[in-house]
Structure formats: structure tokens, C-alpha cells
Amino acid sequence: MDFLWGASTSAYQIEGAVAEDGRGPSVWDTFCREKGRVDNGDSGDVACDHYHRMEDDVGLMRELGLAAYRFSVSWPRVLPRGAGRVNPAGLDSYDRLIDRLLEAGIEPWLCLYHWDLPQALDDLGGWANRDAAGWFADYATVCARRFGDRVRHWATFNEFSVFTLFGYAFGWAPPSIADQETHLKVIHTVNLAHGDAVGVIRAHVPGAKIGGVHSFQPMRPQSPSPEDREATALFDEHWNLAYPDPQILGRYPPRLARRIEPYVQAGDMARICRPLDWFGINFYAPVYGRAEPTSLWGFAFGAPPDDLPRSDVGWPIDATAFPQALMTARDRYRLPIYVTENGLGRRPGADADLNDTARLDYMQTHIAAMMEAKRQGADVRGYFAWSLLDNFEWGAGYSSRFGLVHVDYTTQARTPRASARWYAERIRAERLLTL
Ligand code: FCB
């Protein structure tokens, strides 16, 4: 079977065990403890307890017939203070996961950063400190040396634009800053960190297949007014282009380039822009933008048209935007594409939770739309559902469920939903066809 079918998760969202076996705190541990940050005061303290249940969870993946699994490594589990002393128990836990995956015939896709910056590094200025690129490269070196004998597919960051916009412009994620200068510095440092990590992985892992994972959604102005259009154009540069453009094309998009120039030093672009093997797209829904003079950058999320359906957690649903995103990525970046996340969030206890017809419908229409884009020439090589399990959905805590598999947070019982059974059947049918 040459098309790769998988599922994605991330460390802080599923592992739990935040204070066990030497793990240091991350910025999300801190953020969750601050009042009013996360719905219902939820945190990732226990989450899906995956840290203790990883063997069973790999068994679940095998039952579903997944060919690949994208997970993230928790930086503070490996380096409790972000730099310096390595935590052997942290490395061991990922060894176990990788070994179980390989035994089950599932390809590990390792993502180095899914938003859980070690708190100790945030205390030193975090991503606003240019040194963070070096800290990240050192962490990447530890991982590449340890896991590079078994892991071939590497992602540097998950959704560069989302954690930086939410953390440094909108204030919805740690470190909850809204400051233009800091945000611009952060964008550039994260790009440097990506480039340096690519260099390190190439040096330590022969044959590595390296990419970045981007939230890449068509951006539409809420109205045709010139104000909404211009604000949305800047929003688009921030959301969709601020990272892949310099990383793959070697330049910032025009509106941002002017603003970021003061922070760019000689030789930076060569560090950032290095050959990559694939382009990761997380697709959920088109984003609507509007002018908002009181916001940091003059843009804000706009309202989708009234006639566009929404999920019951309020995200618009429009499968036609998916091929649009894939074609844009193909034309602009010309790399093999993997859809590294796609799925539908639902409120807990929504009618017929296990018989999740809304999610099933979303997956069927989106997979069909993706396949159509592939027929039209988008070089899409694989699809990872978000997510294998219900999990800690950042600011929404546990009040939004994205799992193919339902998690009962009281007993930690896992129950595959109708969407999981359908997905497993689809993978199986395709495998039989290609035998
Ligand atoms: C993406 C994140 C992922 C999850 C999904 C719903 O933006 O990468 O961790 O929260 O959205």
C-alpha cells in the first residue's frame, strides 16, 4: 500500500504523568495552574494516562490497522530544565514506545515540538530569546542520537504559527504575551530553531525524512470591504506563510518581511532554509479574518458565513477548502505532502457519542476531497487522523473531543467509536486491494 494511513497525538495532550520519573514542568503545566486559562480548570496532569498505558494504546493502533503514528516527544521529559542534564527515564519511555510501534509494524513519526516548552527555558525568555534556537538544536541532537537508529520520519515543530500567534499575539496560550516586537523576534527564532534542527537531524540520522507541520487553512475575509481584505491578507501571512515561506522559499512574505527585517542577521536565511523531504499540513477548516483596530496586528478571527455548517464546538465545516489548501501548498512549496492532522471536535456527551456520525461524515467527505486533490496533481502521500484518542484540547480542556477512540476519564477505558471502525475498515479494504 503506498498511501500512508495513520493517526496523530501529542505528548502534553495524552501522556499525563507530568511529575513522574524526572519530567520537568512545561509552560503548559504553568498555564493550566493559572486561574481562568483553561475551561473548567482542566490540565494535562493525567490526560489519557498514556505514559502508563502506551503498550495498550499501541495495541489499539494495531487493531485499527494504522500504518503510521505521529506522536511528539515532551522536551521537559527528556531535558527537565530544557538544557543540560538529560533524564534517562524520559528517553527510556520513548524507546519503549518506538520499540512497541516497530514490533506492531507501525511506523513512528516523531515530532520534536508540540508546544510544551520547558518552563525553565521560558524563564530565560523562551522563544523571544535568540539563544532558543541553540537550545532546540541541542535537544534535537539528544533525540536524533538516541532515536535515529529506529525513527526515519522527523517533524521539527507542530503548527509554528498557532503556538506563536496564540502565545505572543492573542494571549490564549502560554506565555500569554501580546507584544509586536516580542512576537516578531519569536517568529524569527522559531524559524532559526527549525533550520538548526534540520541540520542536526541530517547530520545524525542517515536517510532521515524531515518536514515541518503547518496549520495551513485557506484564509477568507469576512466581508469584501478593503479593511477586512487588507487585515486578512496580513493574517494570512502570519497564519499560513510566516514559517514555510522562509523555510522553503528562503524569504518572508512581503508584509512581514518589512517588519521582521530588524531582527534578521547576516547568514540567517541560509540557516533557516534547508532542503526538506515533505510538507505537513494540518487541515481543519477555512479561517475567516476581519479588521480589528484594537487587536495587536489589526486583524482578528471573523465570522464564517451563516450558511456554512459548524461542528458543535463551533468550527466551520467546509470540505471544499481542503483541496484548495492542498493545491496551494503544491503550487507554492512543491514538496510531497502529508496531511498530518484532520478531524472533528465534538462536545462530550453529544448525542450518540460512540456512534459519532458527524465525525464519520466529516472524515468521509474530507478524505474524498483530499483524494480528488491527489487525482488533480497534489502529491499527497498520507493522512493522519486527529486524533487517535480523546485528549486535552488546550484552552478547551476536556470539553472538546477529537478522538476516533472514546476515553472515559474516570476509568481510562478506551472504546473505539463508529469513526474508528470505519477508518479501520477503509484501511483494511485498501490494503487488500493492493496485495
Ligand atoms: C491543532 C493542534 C492539535 C489539536 C488540534 C485539534 O491545532 O495541533 O494539538 O489541538 O488542533
Side-chain angles (χ1 to χ4, degrees), residues 10 13 70 114-115 158-159 162 215 282 284 315 341 386 391-394 402:
S10 91
Q13 294 180 277
R70 181 175 78 105
H114 203 123
W115 306 356
N158 177 73
E159 296 192 354
V162 176
S215 175
N282 292 354
Y284 289 94
W315 296 18
E341 284 183 26
W386 182 273
N391 58 50
F392 174 78
E393 177 50 21
W394 309 115
F402 274 89

Side-chain angles (χ1 to χ4, degrees), residues 12 32-33 38-45 392 394 396-399:
Y12 189 70
C32 291
R33 304 231 178 314
V38 176
D39 287 2
N40 202 33
D42 289 339
S43 77
D45 284 1
F392 174 78
W394 309 115
Y398 297 100
S399 66

Side-chain angles (χ1 to χ4, degrees), residues 98-331:
I98 292 164
D99 290 344
R100 294 298 88 78
L101 287 168
L102 292 172
E103 282 160 22
I106 301 167
E107 213 181 318
W109 280 53
L110 187 156
C111 178
L112 287 169
Y113 189 81
H114 203 123
W115 306 356
D116 45 357
L117 183 71
Q119 182 58 51
L121 296 184
D122 195 58
D123 296 342
L124 299 175
W127 293 114
N129 183 339
R130 220 180 124 97
D131 292 347
W135 304 332
F136 187 69
D138 290 347
Y139 158 57
T141 306
V142 172
C143 291
R145 281 209 183 118
R146 178 72 168 233
F147 309 126
D149 58 337
R150 287 153 295 157
V151 175
R152 205 161 145 251
H153 285 90
W154 294 75
T156 53
F157 284 78
N158 177 73
E159 296 192 354
F160 306 78
S161 66
V162 176
F163 82 90
T164 51
L165 270 167
F166 284 19
Y168 298 89
F170 295 141
W172 301 335
S176 197
I177 290 170
D179 179 73
Q180 288 197 351
E181 193 183 324
T182 312
H183 186 202
L184 293 170
K185 281 188 194 160
V186 164
I187 293 172
H188 194 58
T189 305
V190 168
N191 273 320
L192 288 168
H194 159 87
D196 288 357
V198 172
V200 157
I201 301 164
R202 286 258 182 260
H204 290 283
V205 187
K209 298 281 185 199
I210 312 173
V213 170
H214 303 274
S215 175
F216 205 70
Q217 330 292 324
M219 181 70 71
R220 301 168 180 169
Q222 172 188 285
S223 85
S225 76
E227 293 78 21
D228 281 350
R229 287 226 303 266
E230 180 50 32
T232 304
L234 181 61
F235 197 0
D236 187 32
E237 288 194 7
H238 269 283
W239 190 286
N240 288 315
L241 311 177
Y243 297 91
D245 271 17
Q247 292 169 13
I248 302 167
L249 308 178
R251 54 174 157 77
Y252 281 102
R255 291 171 183 77
L256 260 175
R258 284 200 307 275
R259 296 169 166 102
I260 231 156
E261 210 182 73
Y263 310 104
V264 180
Q265 298 178 9
D268 282 1
M269 248 343 142
R271 261 170 82 185
I272 293 171
C273 179
R274 310 204 191 207
L276 293 171
D277 303 292
W278 51 274
F279 185 76
I281 292 190
N282 292 354
F283 176 84
Y284 289 94
V287 174
Y288 287 82
R290 67 178 166 90
E292 176 48 70
T294 66
S295 78
L296 187 71
W297 290 111
F299 58 71
F301 282 97
D306 291 339
D307 57 353
L308 208 60
R310 307 228 189 158
S311 72
D312 61 11
V313 295
W315 296 18
I317 300 178
D318 180 1
T320 67
F322 194 11
Q324 228 180 303
L326 296 168
M327 291 316 234
T328 306
R330 177 195 77 148
D331 294 343

